[in-house]
Amino acid sequence: MLKATNLRAEYGSLVAVNDVDLEIETGEFATIVGPSGCGKTTLLRMLAGHQEPTSGTVELGGEDVTYTEPQNRPTSLVFQSWALFPHMTVRENIEFPMRNKGVEVGDRVEELLEQVRLDPDIHADKQATELSGGQKQRVALARSLAYDPDILLLDEPLASLDYVLRKRLQRELADLNEELGMTFIYVTHSLESALLMSDKLFVLQDGDIIQTGSPEEIYRRPSTKFIAEFMGDANVFSLDDAVERGDGYEVKSSQFAQTTTVPYHYDADPEYLVVRYDDSSIGSELTEDLGLEVTVTNVLVRGNTVLVECDAPESDGEYVAEIPIDEFRDTDVEKGDAAYLQWDASKSILVPE
Amino acid sequence: MSTDTATRLGDRLGSGVWYGYVALVALFLMTPLVSLVIASFYDGRFFSIVDYEFTFGWYEAALTSGSIRSALTNTLYISIPVTILSTIIGTAAAIAYTRYDFPYREQFKLFALLPIFFPLILLGLGMSMWSSQIDLGYGIVPSIIGELVWISPIVMFVVSITALGIDPNIEEAAKDLGADTVTLYRKVLLPLISDGVVSGAIFAFVLSWNNYYIVSYLSGPQSTITTWIHGRMTQGFTPVVPAVASLIFYVSILLVVGAAVLEYRAADDE
């Protein structure tokens, strides 16, 4: 188990990581997600030992490793730039950590290459510089696995790959995590990767962990407006009035006419009502519980669904509904038409500021 | 179609002008050196291109002359230690500058490279005065020390170019994979900068080999090839001088071509 307590990093007067606490169980696929500059890479570098924290501790399996050199830490970091040794072959790159640890090499290079789905007969004796981006990525992964770490740290290593390859490698990483039972800590600004691969998510904003949970929990119950927006594809309405009613709140907004009661789980008073794009629909009549009048400004086809972009003239808001393409055809709504953006009351999510 | 032809013609004309220009520059740079080489093979006391006769005689005279031999030996006694020491100092400084982060790093670079931009004749004069002040005297050792001040920064510059091209995460990756400092240098950093170090060493040797200003102030009674040539030019010219000068030139050009090949090979690897 990895445990960080009050971990803090300052650069001069700038606080990059602000007294962060986190716990990651052995074998978990944990993702630290946040926008650029939120301190996630600094946090990862402190876990890897490449940066000393200003204060706080890192414990690995009960042992304090806060000031342990990276050489002596059972962690291995896969860099964003991969950092393969360009003067070595693929085999030499992968043998490097094994020789440093003094373990028998044997058939390990072949095994590891197969594990990352590269054919050893073709690739083992190539120069590292001769590989494509995706292949370099796989070799960097194999090299880190060759170190046999307890925890594999990944610093957005898929960011520079194309979409299809990135998707495939994401799935392979998740499989590998399960297969090896090794703890993976992945750092990314891309929510898509975070949702797809992780058991546990840490959302980082300005050096603070603002929410921890399973991807499902965070997607369904974002704890702030920032997370709701960061998790993406959501319409956000500010509330004018919120009154506690049993398990939830009765809320009113000038942006839609109806009053509704929504369950709520946080201490701070709710400030916003959030509806996911794919929970919203569009129609010429108001048929759902909640809705507002809008003008359709754009219709974008996204495979099986369409994104209907709307303007609400009264509140100055821009909203989107994502609906199946057939359903949209049945509505007879077209670009430029007045219509209702609407949703089932149970799909509403309340969040504090 | 017609614009196509026009462009192609323009291109050809453009590249014709370009190659002509390059050829002229090359001619301008090479003429003095080529004249020197031609003169060194001329059989006669005062050079004339009209009735040219070829001989190896002056080279033979150069290689058998005692004073030239001792000048050559002195030059090597200076150049070889300078090459070794300046390569070590320059490489260490380049690694510090390019691969480590420390306060006043940019100022360190400016300060370290300063001697390159200082006029050599003044550098030599200053060193000469200082050398007598601290009782270092004049001879081989003061010359070595003097040349190191000027050549080490140049090696640093040459090695830095190679070292800056290496992935900034490479040391961290190596440490992360269990490499101690010795392994990091032996297996990763030094192999990656080796081409730059060899180029730097070649530069160091050539610059020391050709150096006149610093040794002229510091070598004292010991004459080197360059001070020998200068002495002969000012008092008692003999046709051996072009032959000796050409010999210096042959060694330099060979090494410079070697360095260029190394650079080229490194660029090809990318």
Side-chain angles (χ1 to χ4, degrees), chain B residues 67-149:
Chain B
S67 71
I68 297 174
R69 268 206 193 169
S70 95
L72 184 71
T73 319
N74 284 338
T75 304
L76 288 175
Y77 278 160
I78 297 171
S79 296
I80 291 171
V82 163
T83 304
I84 296 168
L85 293 172
S86 67
T87 303
I88 294 171
I89 298 169
T91 301
I95 291 176
Y97 169 61
T98 57
R99 311 303 300 178
Y100 289 85
D101 205 14
F102 51 92
Y104 302 109
R105 180 169 159 272
E106 285 305 312
Q107 285 84 340
F108 163 73
K109 177 192 74 178
L110 282 178
F111 186 73
L113 296 184
L114 207 58
I116 303 180
F117 303 104
F118 210 67
L120 264 186
I121 193 158
L122 299 184
L123 206 61
L125 180 63
M127 284 172 180
S128 158
M129 291 161 69
W130 187 240
S131 186
S132 100
Q133 281 298 310
I134 60 171
D135 282 335
L136 189 59
Y138 300 93
I140 301 285
V141 174
S143 301
I144 292 173
I145 295 173
E147 286 191 6
L148 280 178
V149 172

Side-chain angles (χ1 to χ4, degrees), chain B residues 11-82:
Chain B
D11 277 357
R12 209 173 295 164
L13 194 68
S15 68
V17 169
W18 169 246
Y19 284 120
Y21 173 69
V22 171
L24 279 174
V25 170
L27 188 71
F28 175 75
L29 290 174
M30 295 308 284
T31 303
L33 293 170
V34 172
S35 331
L36 193 68
V37 173
I38 293 172
S40 72
F41 290 108
Y42 175 68
D43 189 4
R45 203 160 164 75
F46 295 103
F47 182 64
S48 145
I49 200 78
V50 187
D51 49 351
Y52 191 83
E53 276 186 57
F54 185 84
T55 181
F56 272 120
W58 305 120
Y59 284 93
E60 208 183 314
L63 294 173
T64 49
S65 146
S67 71
I68 297 174
R69 268 206 193 169
S70 95
L72 184 71
T73 319
N74 284 338
T75 304
L76 288 175
Y77 278 160
I78 297 171
S79 296
I80 291 171
V82 163

Side-chain angles (χ1 to χ4, degrees), chain A residues 31-336:
Chain A
T31 298
I32 299 168
V33 63
S36 302
C38 70
K40 54 190 190 297
T41 296
T42 305
L43 179 55
L44 195 69
R45 287 171 55 78
M46 291 193 289
L47 299 182
H50 292 305
Q51 185 169 340
E52 279 191 9
T54 311
S55 61
T57 57
V58 181
E59 277 172 53
L60 252 173
E63 195 187 334
D64 187 340
V65 295
T66 316
Y67 299 101
T68 308
E69 296 279 306
Q71 290 91 316
N72 304 322
R73 252 183 226 226
T75 56
S76 184
L77 176 59
V78 181
F79 289 85
Q80 193 167 5
S81 65
W82 311 319
L84 292 182
F85 304 127
H87 59 303
M88 297 184 190
T89 62
V90 168
R91 180 187 302 281
E92 287 163 346
N93 263 284
I94 297 173
E95 283 177 356
F96 184 82
M98 296 195 258
R99 296 203 185 284
N100 290 336
K101 282 183 118 178
V103 296
E104 186 77 27
V105 173
D107 294 331
R108 275 301 276 159
V109 173
E110 282 73 15
E111 277 172 41
L112 285 161
L113 282 174
E114 271 160 21
Q115 216 150 35
V116 297
R117 292 163 179 78
L118 279 178
D119 188 340
D121 295 336
I122 301 172
H123 295 103
D125 296 308
K126 274 190 184 165
Q127 206 65 30
T129 44
E130 290 176 278
L131 303 174
S132 70
Q135 290 166 347
K136 280 183 183 165
Q137 166 57 59
R138 289 167 195 268
V139 173
L141 189 61
R143 187 180 65 172
S144 280
L145 293 175
Y147 184 66
D148 195 22
D150 294 344
I151 299 182
L152 187 71
L153 306 164
L154 303 114
D155 185 8
E156 273 192 87
L158 308 180
S160 57
L161 301 177
D162 69 69
Y163 182 78
V164 177
L165 190 57
R166 193 164 66 231
K167 282 273 157 207
R168 193 160 81 217
L169 279 162
Q170 279 169 358
R171 212 159 307 134
E172 288 180 17
L173 273 180
D175 290 347
L176 208 56
N177 166 252
E178 207 152 296
E179 204 176 302
L180 299 171
M182 192 184 280
T183 311
F184 282 28
I185 303 179
Y186 191 90
V187 150
T188 181
H189 66 269
S190 151
L191 188 87
E192 219 186 330
S193 342
L195 290 177
L196 197 72
M197 301 185 290
S198 331
D199 300 318
K200 194 172 191 179
L201 272 185
F202 297 89
V203 184
L204 207 60
Q205 181 191 14
D206 298 333
D208 282 308
I209 289 185
I210 49 175
Q211 193 174 5
T212 306
S214 71
E216 166 85 14
E217 269 164 16
I218 293 181
Y219 189 76
R220 289 295 153 207
R221 288 192 206 167
S223 67
T224 70
K225 179 186 171 222
F226 170 82
I227 297 173
E229 285 179 334
F230 185 74
M231 294 304 276
D233 300 351
N235 296 312
V236 178
F237 302 94
S238 61
L239 299 174
D240 296 325
D241 194 24
V243 183
E244 205 164 351
R245 286 263 187 279
D247 272 351
Y249 273 82
E250 187 182 270
V251 295
K252 256 189 244 164
S253 168
S254 61
Q255 287 165 290
F256 47 88
Q258 309 78 2
T259 304
T260 183
T261 304
V262 184
Y264 185 65
H265 321 274
Y266 301 107
D267 292 336
D269 283 347
E271 302 273 355
Y272 299 93
L273 185 147
V274 175
V275 190
R276 303 266 168 224
Y277 291 172
D278 55 0
D279 288 332
S280 309
S281 66
I282 201 99
S284 45
E285 302 292 328
L286 184 62
T287 51
E288 299 278 9
D289 307 335
L290 298 169
L292 65 155
E293 262 190 273
V294 293
T295 311
V296 176
T297 54
N298 219 345
V299 178
L300 304 167
V301 179
R302 189 200 238 185
N304 286 330
T305 60
V306 284
L307 290 177
V308 186
E309 297 183 345
C310 321
D311 267 356
E314 276 176 40
S315 60
D316 231 16
E318 288 173 15
Y319 306 106
V320 179
E322 184 175 2
I323 51 182
I325 200 157
D326 299 333
E327 203 176 296
F328 179 68
R329 285 208 193 95
D330 294 340
T331 61
D332 284 330
V333 175
E334 278 172 39
K335 186 173 165 179

